[in-house]
Amino acid sequence: MWNEREFVPPCYIVPPGAERQPHVVLWGDSFAAHWRPGLKRILGDSATLSQLTSAGCAPILDYVEKERPNCAALNRFALARIAETRPDVVVLSGRWSSYPAYPQVTKTLRALRELGVSRVVLIGSSAQYHQTVPRLMLIALSSGGRAPTRMQPTMMPLLREVDDTLRRIAFNGGATFVAPLDAQCNARGCLVALDTGAVGITTRDDGHLTAV
């Protein structure tokens, strides 16, 4: 859903009885949301995961986007919830290359530090493609080849440049930087499928990850 006006309460309200568990908040846009299945699998029942994500809204305080007029209000709400619930960990993620103002995430790191959040994780870029991965696979198949399990993103130089900046920002802001590209990609390209079957596709469009 585009231009959300508010977050859905079940996504961020800590369930009764879970107050004593470690609390993790996931904050960002749809590229933050695609980490939820993995985080849930890692955390299991050992921690509470709250999700404050909205499509097209970078986790940047005072971020203004003409086509997403509610982003600033949503980010203010997210920060207020964090101030109220005092989570143990805040995870920030976004499709950073889509936001010219992405270096301003320093404002968010500063605000979280002032709130006393003990650990902030800044997730860098995920692999992105010039067309949807399923379409690129079909093109490969129609040419008589096999559906690839890895592809070379044409955007890789930009993504690496963005990550270099984010890594410095995280270091200077006392946050932990995580680089998905280092896990997704090698010299043969970035992982798009675990096998050549549709069930194994790891990227459902031009960049969003599946729950595989």
Side-chain angles (χ1 to χ4, degrees):
M1 176 180 178
W2 297 99
N3 286 337
E4 293 97 334
R5 294 181 180 275
E6 59 186 15
F7 296 113
V8 180
C11 292
Y12 62 80
I13 291 178
V14 178
E19 294 85 356
R20 295 183 179 180
Q21 287 186 322
H23 182 201
V24 179
V25 171
L26 177 61
W27 180 7
D29 60 12
S30 59
F31 267 53
H34 72 194
W35 297 119
R36 180 181 174 85
L39 286 172
K40 284 293 292 182
R41 187 174 298 179
I42 292 169
L43 296 172
D45 296 326
S46 65
T48 299
L49 178 62
S50 295
Q51 182 176 346
L52 295 167
T53 61
S54 180
C57 289
I60 299 172
L61 295 179
D62 303 322
Y63 169 72
V64 177
E65 169 60 55
K66 182 179 180 180
E67 296 182 1
R68 308 284 183 269
N70 301 311
C71 286
L74 288 169
N75 282 332
R76 287 195 297 270
F77 178 89
L79 188 65
R81 283 295 303 174
I82 290 168
E84 179 182 350
T85 59
R86 300 286 177 176
D88 301 277
V89 182
V90 174
V91 180
L92 302 173
S93 180
R95 189 169 189 158
W96 304 110
S97 60
S98 295
Y99 309 112
Y102 76 88
Q104 293 183 26
V105 72
T106 52
K107 297 179 180 178
T108 308
L109 295 183
R110 187 182 308 117
L112 294 173
R113 189 167 59 247
E114 291 173 353
L115 288 177
V117 177
S118 58
R119 187 179 183 192
V120 178
V121 178
L122 180 60
I123 299 181
S125 304
S126 300
Q128 297 162 50
Y129 304 86
H130 63 287
Q131 294 188 57
T132 66
V133 166
R135 179 174 176 79
L136 291 172
M137 286 187 165
L138 286 174
I139 291 173
L141 288 170
S142 65
S143 301
R146 297 182 59 185
T149 57
R150 290 185 179 273
M151 294 181 182
Q152 293 285 0
T154 57
M155 293 179 61
M156 187 60 79
L158 172 61
L159 299 178
R160 291 294 190 188
E161 179 184 336
V162 169
D163 273 12
D164 287 345
T165 300
L166 291 174
R167 186 178 283 104
R168 289 193 296 270
I169 289 172
F171 178 81
N172 293 332
T176 300
F177 181 74
V178 175
L181 290 176
D182 291 347
Q184 285 182 287
C185 309
N186 61 25
R188 296 188 294 113
C190 299
L191 191 69
V192 294
L194 300 180
D195 54 47
T196 56
V199 175
I201 292 177
T202 60
T203 304
R204 62 180 172 83
D205 51 22
D206 65 343
H208 292 91
L209 300 177
T210 68
V212 170

